[in-house]
RNA sequence: GGUCUCGUGGCCGAGUGGCUAGGCAGUGGUCUGCAAAACCAUCUACAUCGGUUCGAAUCCGAUCGAGACCUCCA
């Protein structure tokens, strides 16, 4: 088995992956803010890390995968103009903040289930870790890297930068940040615009609020990930993932908080999944440029010509490398769907293949190695899929009789398909195919009913009886009535 | 404006200093009662202009174009 190499955003290069604890991997991924339905762009990020998680498990690691739920809301604007996003939504809809959180958390889980995600080991919530967050703020204040103003606490970025590198992850220079920070509306309590909030004073109308040593307020948005990752994975853990758009400032701030609190950089390998674009622009709720997972299942969207299965969408996403921008279009999805169906069809054929040949026209071992090489090279799923299509071709050749495979190789192919297609890419979706078959069965029966009624109209009772009797024999009853024929499956 | 990334054939999308990515679409063939599928063969390519090199689409520079971040964001 070759080594796994992962692209580390911190060093900007692929590095050999060596876990801190032998055979164990700790991975933290920034989860969703549950103030609205997740869109396909969100799904892409989590899917990238679902694949990473699956592959690490396949390699035999004991993985603790922590993916949080941000339910405390983030600041919408900077400084005092900020408003908690969850709280805002709640006011609009006249319901409790936690009701919003609950609704969209359920939606999030339902969506990921539909796409055949593995659940993380721990899914902590920000509101469940207020105490831990307050403790971290205390430590940072005690060490002199945070200051309190009017019931809010800010991290002193300039002081931190004297002995540390604020910008180590994002490649930013503090001078550039100082010169290029935009002028903000309203008053700010911050000493410097680059400083970020650890704790915010809650205005009277602010619904989500907790007591703290600095008064009633709520935690700053970078803090929760530091609190939860430290609690469940330790001061230093293996992999931290998230969307590219979280690199700065969110992840940069996490590093700063941990450096002060724990005297060490929190993460060995930073992984960032790239954006999904629609019409060449990043998918985002705020701009209205997005497509919801449910739109695919119904097909009701101006962006779609028809409905698509979850498996097909998953396949479409994994056909691009997680670090590349992927542009969504109906045309691209249609192309993926055909490829996906071709792959699945050949897997069905594979199950029916029997062999008595002693030779194989396909180097199965080297193919399998290529598959592993692809995954070991920074989870290169597009290359893996390309390799899968090589074996698809071979399977079809064997079926046609133009190639042969021996028993041993056939078994290896079956096992490997199981591993790579279902286990690692996670393309299997049992419920989906069951539903699909149910639909097809209904449509087929409608067709038979139509043929029978045509036969009866033509007085071809021999044919119409044959259809009714033979369907009855396989457990499907036809029931004629004045309004038409229905069926019942026993 | 600053920082960074990217620009591949009709579409999507890998990879790379010299050797077929792959999928979809197209073309020719095999097969076929018809159709489809499948198989075989095949056409489209590396933004532009310079430079380095025996050789670059791959490295360097400039130009043009696109995007991300700098404010909540996956």
């Amino acid at each position: 088995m070759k080594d796994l190499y992962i692209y580390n955003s911190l060093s900007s290069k692929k590095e050999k992956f060596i876990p801190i604890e032998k055979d164990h991997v700790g991975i933290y991924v920034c989860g969703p803010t549950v103030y609205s339905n997740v869109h396909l762009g969100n799904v892409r990020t989590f899917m990238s890390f679902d694949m990473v998680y699956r592959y690490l498990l396949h390699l035999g690691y004991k993985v603790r995968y922590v993916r949080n739920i941000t339910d405390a809301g983030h600041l919408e604007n900077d400084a005092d103009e900020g408003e908690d996003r969850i709280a805002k939504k709640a006011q609009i809809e006249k319901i409790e903040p936690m009701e919003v959180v609950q609704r969209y958390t359920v939606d999030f889980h339902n969506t990921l289930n539909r796409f055949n995600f593995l659940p993380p080991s721990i899914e902590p919530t920000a509101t469940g870790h207020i105490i831990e967050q307050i403790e971290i703020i205390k430590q940072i204040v005690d060490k002199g890297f945070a200051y309190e103003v009017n019931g809010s606490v800010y991290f002193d970025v300039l002081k931190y930068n004297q002995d540390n590198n604020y910008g180590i992850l994002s490649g930013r220079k503090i001078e550039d940040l100082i010169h290029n920070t935009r002028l903000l509306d309203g008053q700010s309590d911050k000493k410097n615009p680059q400083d970020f909030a650890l704790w915010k004073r809650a205005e009277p109308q602010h619904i989500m609020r907790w007591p703290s040593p600095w008064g009633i307020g709520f935690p700053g948005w970078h803090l929760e990930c530091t609190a939860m990752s430290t609690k469940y994975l330790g001061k230093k853990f293996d992999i931290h993932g998230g969307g590219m758009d979280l690199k700065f400032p969110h992840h940069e701030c996490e590093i700063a908080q941990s450096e002060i609190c724990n005297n060490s950089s929190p993460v060995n390998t930073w992984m960032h999944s790239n954006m999904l674009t629609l019409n060449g622009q990043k998918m985002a709720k705020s701009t209205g440029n997005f497509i919801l997972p449910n739109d695919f299942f119904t097909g009701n969207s101006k962006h779609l010509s028809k409905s698509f299965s979850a498996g097909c969408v998953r396949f479409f996403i994994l056909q691009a490398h997680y670090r590349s921008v992927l542009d969504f279009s109906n045309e691209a999805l249609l192309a993926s769907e055909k490829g996906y169906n071709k792959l699945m069809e050949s897997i069905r054929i594979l199950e029916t293949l029997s062999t008595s040949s002693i030779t194989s026209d396909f180097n199965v071992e080297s193919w399998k190695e290529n598959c592993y090489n692809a995954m070991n090279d920074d989870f290169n799923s597009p290359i893996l899929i390309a390799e899968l299509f090589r074996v698809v071709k071979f399977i079809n050749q064997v079926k046609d009789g133009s190639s042969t495979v021996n028993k041993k190789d056939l078994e290896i192919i079956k096992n490997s398909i199981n591993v790579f297609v279902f286990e690692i890419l996670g393309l299997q979706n049992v419920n989906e195919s069951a539903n699909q078959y149910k639909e097809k069965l209904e449509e087929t029966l409608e067709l038979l009913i139509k043929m029978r009624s045509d036969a009866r109209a033509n007085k071809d009772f021999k044919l119409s009886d044959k259809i009714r009797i033979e369907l009855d024999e396989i457990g499907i009853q036809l029931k004629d009535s004045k309004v038409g024929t229905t069926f019942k499956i026993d």
Side-chain angles (χ1 to χ4, degrees), chain A residues 40 115 278-279 283 290-309 312-313 316 328-334 337:
Chain A
L40 196 68
F115 285 106
L278 180 62
N279 302 320
M283 255 190 216
F290 64 90
I291 186 162
L292 295 176
N294 204 250
D295 296 341
F296 292 97
F297 311 141
T298 63
N300 295 331
S301 165
K302 63 179 176 180
H303 303 292
L304 300 173
S305 62
K306 62 184 276 297
S307 66
F308 292 91
S309 71
C312 166
V313 174
F316 165 74
F328 174 84
S329 69
N330 188 63
E331 197 185 1
L333 191 57
L334 282 170
E337 185 182 48

Side-chain angles (χ1 to χ4, degrees), chain A residues 14-227:
Chain A
K14 289 178 193 169
E15 294 172 354
K16 184 173 163 179
F17 178 67
I18 302 166
I20 295 166
E21 291 282 338
K22 190 175 181 296
D23 300 332
H24 291 257
V25 178
I27 174 167
Y28 186 93
V29 172
C30 293
T33 305
V34 281
Y35 67 95
S36 69
N37 302 295
V38 288
H39 58 69
L40 196 68
N42 305 117
V43 170
R44 186 193 183 194
T45 296
F46 301 128
M47 193 180 287
S48 299
F49 292 104
D50 185 58
M51 175 191 70
V52 167
Y53 179 43
R54 285 166 174 276
Y55 190 57
L56 291 170
L57 288 175
H58 172 73
L59 292 179
Y61 288 112
K62 291 189 183 2
V63 186
R64 181 175 291 166
Y65 174 26
V66 182
R67 188 185 63 211
N68 70 296
I69 296 277
T70 296
D71 57 351
H74 291 165
L75 294 176
E76 210 165 49
N77 297 307
D78 207 43
D80 284 359
E81 265 36 69
E83 189 173 6
D84 188 300
R85 186 159 250 184
I86 301 280
K88 188 184 182 194
K89 186 86 178 177
Q91 282 159 359
I92 290 168
E93 301 188 2
K94 299 279 190 276
I95 52 175
E96 275 298 314
M98 288 314 278
E99 204 174 341
V100 175
V101 165
Q102 179 70 15
R103 180 193 296 172
Y104 294 116
T105 301
V106 168
D107 171 76
F108 174 64
H109 287 147
N110 286 343
T111 298
L112 296 201
N113 282 339
R114 196 109 191 228
F115 285 106
N116 202 29
F117 277 59
L118 295 179
S121 326
I122 302 176
E123 196 168 46
T125 60
T127 54
H129 298 75
I130 301 294
I131 292 169
E132 287 83 350
Q133 295 180 67
I134 290 173
E135 286 306 309
I136 290 175
I137 300 170
K138 279 187 197 165
Q139 286 184 48
I140 297 173
V141 170
D142 287 348
K143 292 185 180 179
F145 286 89
Y147 55 92
E148 184 197 345
V149 181
N150 293 331
S152 295
V153 183
Y154 296 96
F155 189 97
D156 192 335
V157 169
L158 289 188
K159 181 168 183 188
Y160 170 78
N161 196 246
Q162 287 168 7
D163 295 314
N164 298 276
N165 181 3
Y166 184 79
I168 189 171
L169 178 67
S170 56
R172 281 157 207 276
K173 291 187 177 64
I174 198 89
E175 302 81 46
D176 295 337
L177 288 171
I178 292 166
H179 290 131
N180 294 302
T181 300
R182 288 177 181 175
L183 285 174
L184 298 159
D185 296 331
Q187 295 293 319
S188 174
D189 294 330
K190 293 177 183 179
K191 284 201 285 194
N192 301 293
Q194 313 67 238
D195 294 348
F196 56 89
L198 297 171
W199 186 263
K200 288 289 293 178
R201 180 189 67 244
E203 300 300 330
Q205 68 273 19
H206 204 99
I207 302 173
M208 286 192 139
R209 46 173 59 217
W210 292 267
S212 80
W214 314 280
I216 304 289
F218 55 95
W221 66 286
H222 307 301
L223 199 59
E224 59 179 270
C225 290
T226 297

Side-chain angles (χ1 to χ4, degrees), chain A residues 469-483:
Chain A
I469 291 164
E470 294 199 3
L471 277 177
D472 190 54
E473 279 168 9
I474 55 177
I476 298 169
Q477 280 185 323
L478 293 187
K479 298 189 285 192
D480 293 322
S481 74
K482 279 178 188 167
V483 292

